[in-house]
Amino acid sequence: MDELHDTSAQGTTSMQALAELLAQKNLLARADLPATPIAVCGADCDSRVVEPGHLFVCKGAHFNARYLQAALEAGACGYVCDESLAPQLAEAAPGVPALVTNDVRSAMALVSATAWGHPNQRMRIAGITGTKGKTTVAAFVRSILDDGEPGAHAATIGTLETYDGIERFASRNTTPEAPDLWRHLAHAASCGLDMVMEVSSQGLKYQRVEGLAYDVAAFLNIGVDHVSAIEHPTFDDYLSSKLKIFEHARVALLNANLDPAHAARIEQAAGTCAQTLRFMAGETQADGRAAEFCATNLQAREGGMFFVAHTPQWSAPAHIALSGDFNVENAIAAIAIAQLMGCGQEQIVRGLASCSVPGRMDVIRGADDHVTAIVDYAHNGMSVSQVLSSVRASYPSHRIIAVFGATGGKGAERRFEMPPAAAPYADHLIFTEDDAGPEPVERICAQMAQATPEGTSHEIVLDRTQAITHALAMAHEDERPCVVCVLGKGHEARQLRADGPAPMTPDPQLVRTLLNAQPPRHTKTEGASHGV
């Protein structure tokens, strides 16, 4: 049997061996174990996925002992916990084998990698980080690796979906906790799949990828995001967390046009890797240096972007179904990653052309082309500016209406950055709900209105469905052809509110339904300078 498909290759360790490993790393406070070895074949921190022989990790200051009881009932052989939880859990589960640690996050990562048999050693892994573009680049790479053949050749962990060859579900975190991460890696290795991962700043900060080695780590860009009391207290903490990806990589792949304010620091961090390569949508950097991977002759046409891709080994025409120069930059990053993972020119070009990315620059046209809608996941200042500047360049004579909101409880800077980012390109802004979570949507929208540059036309429509309906009706009634940009949610089918997630019609579906219901105007409208 091929080693990559042999599940026994995951290996089995023991709680005693794990105790020794933690002791070597000065992470073991106490081991409550019998003399007889206790076999371990996996690790979990979610009691719902525990299987017999797995070690259960009890984490969190408010951990409830009933989760441990559920894990033990499912067959867990023992548990790992922080010193602060040890007395409570020893009372709740007397006599159960336990590893008590002085640093549960570091211990969890170390134990998980070993319990799952270090599956990363039997597969190729790409890690992708950046403030924007991670999901698009990951989708491009996965499409290239799959090469349009029956059956997947790549697993993925990211913002939209987790797929490991065995499990497939909408992701809860961009980068999961270490026990979940290593389970997915083990599943992927057993199915003969390579892994394409989006790596979040939270995943790097909280050691979720500790012990993992990437064949290539791509750093796409950096901007202010995820700065809040519950995420990163400062931008420096956010950037420092992002830079940790290079501690886990053999090859660093950098955007050749990084923000000059941070480029030197990023380059220095990447210097710890064995090799540093660069990509860009263009021929030379601002300082005149060439990037190893680049795109020239960019053209926006009906059906997407067309360009010539250049790598150290070949040059060839390429096409993506998405619009915008920034998506060519994403495509070049994907080309570099795929080539470094062993893919050839023909496979790369085919994979790019066949890729679709849900919720990314999804163009939906009305019956008579008077109204065009574009749905995109853009949800911070950088991405909003990129999307709307691209739309403005493609539709210079159209009226542009942008509908978007900002998340509550995290990423608080977004509500103040997005209105100024949108104002130079949009004729009218509509602020609405976008995962307000624990905060009143009224307050978030009011803050966005206050952050809107003076003289910019804007309004607040709290209900998202009503906001989109209103925007499309405005566009239909306008004498000029219009583009309605619906930003933030992409393909998502739920709205996060204070009382939990609520179902919603995904933006693309709602927009199509509303546009199909509009009667044709029977007027000829001016087309875009080049189609998005």
Side-chain angles (χ1 to χ4, degrees), residues 442-457:
E442 297 88 345
R443 181 172 68 191
I444 295 173
C445 289
Q447 290 174 327
M448 296 180 77
Q450 291 169 3
T452 303
E454 186 176 353
T456 302
S457 176

Side-chain angles (χ1 to χ4, degrees), residues 278-426:
R278 292 163 185 82
F279 69 93
M280 67 183 297
E283 294 184 82
T284 57
Q285 298 173 236
D287 61 6
R289 286 191 297 164
E292 289 85 355
F293 299 87
C294 65
T296 60
N297 302 332
L298 280 65
Q299 298 181 39
R301 305 180 200 159
E302 187 73 26
M305 296 295 297
F306 295 77
F307 56 96
V308 177
H310 304 273
T311 81
Q313 284 72 40
W314 52 265
S315 295
H319 160 247
I320 56 174
L322 300 181
S323 63
D325 290 1
F326 64 93
N327 276 319
V328 176
E329 185 175 82
N330 290 332
I332 289 297
I335 288 172
I337 294 168
Q339 183 163 305
L340 290 166
M341 294 180 76
C343 299
Q345 172 191 326
E346 293 184 1
Q347 181 180 352
I348 288 173
V349 172
R350 279 196 307 269
L352 282 179
S354 63
C355 182
S356 63
V357 187
R360 263 51 177 191
M361 294 299 282
D362 191 355
V363 180
I364 306 166
R365 291 185 169 87
D368 55 13
D369 284 341
H370 181 78
V371 180
T372 298
I374 296 176
V375 178
D376 192 87
Y377 187 65
H379 58 282
N380 58 40
M382 287 181 71
S383 54
V384 165
S385 177
Q386 276 197 333
V387 168
L388 292 182
S389 63
S390 176
V391 172
R392 174 53 72 196
S394 296
Y395 297 88
S397 301
H398 286 53
R399 185 186 188 203
I400 297 176
I401 302 170
V403 182
F404 57 93
T407 53
K410 63 178 183 178
E413 74 287 343
R414 295 174 185 172
R415 66 193 68 172
F416 304 106
E417 291 185 342
M418 288 193 289
Y425 310 107

